Amino acid sequence: MSVDEYLAWSETNPGRYELVQGEVYAMTPERVLHAEIKAAVYVTLRRSTRMTPSSCRAMPDGMTVRIDARTAYEPDALVYCGPRLDPDSVEVPNPIIVVEVLSPSTRRIDASEKLIGYFQVPSIHHYLMVDPDRRMVVHHRRTGGDIETIFLQDGTLTLDPPGLEVPVASLFEEP
């Protein structure tokens, strides 16, 4: 199945899915901790985008990011910049930041296949893996032709571009 076929299919099939190399995979149910951290991440990113003069917007889970013609992921949160997307769109074509909240069932995929996939998208400059159990953020960022990785448990996360400053502690606040 192509991403375009998948997006059409997903409109009539309720639930949460991702498309990997043409195959549809149902996403597993979430723990309460996972959902709470996901909410905190979105609120923090939304607050951070509103504190800058940029034209960036934060989006919660549910939006699709096309990796290639046969793979599309649904990150737990993302930020895109530029004109506001069509309100009926289910796909964000040029995200600059994508976030996955780690869970026991997805940790390996998030740290390998998704890491490789997300950085195939030229617009993505930051991939954050938020670990709720260790209260740690693994920040992968594009630096020229390389990917640099930083581990943070406190302090401030600098996401430039687009110029956001995010307190690490805020990603773990209870909603």
Side-chain angles (χ1 to χ4, degrees), residues 155-174:
T156 301
L157 182 59
T158 301
L159 301 170
D160 192 27
L164 305 182
E165 298 287 326
V166 176
V168 171
S170 67
L171 300 172
F172 300 97
E173 288 177 354
E174 288 189 25

Side-chain angles (χ1 to χ4, degrees), residues 7-20:
L7 292 174
W9 173 88
S10 68
E11 287 185 22
T12 59
N13 288 278
R16 296 182 58 231
Y17 303 94
E18 289 186 321
L19 182 69
V20 179

Side-chain angles (χ1 to χ4, degrees), residues 46-96:
R46 186 169 189 237
R47 186 180 315 127
S48 296
T49 59
R50 290 181 168 192
M51 293 174 57
T52 66
S54 71
S55 63
C56 299
R57 289 183 171 77
M59 301 295 291
D61 71 331
M63 302 307 301
T64 299
V65 173
R66 184 184 303 248
I67 303 304
D68 59 33
R70 296 172 36 89
T71 300
Y73 296 142
E74 185 182 301
D76 290 321
L78 62 81
V79 172
Y80 75 93
C81 301
R84 186 179 181 133
L85 295 173
D86 179 319
D88 292 326
S89 180
V90 295
E91 180 180 358
V92 176
N94 295 306
I96 194 164

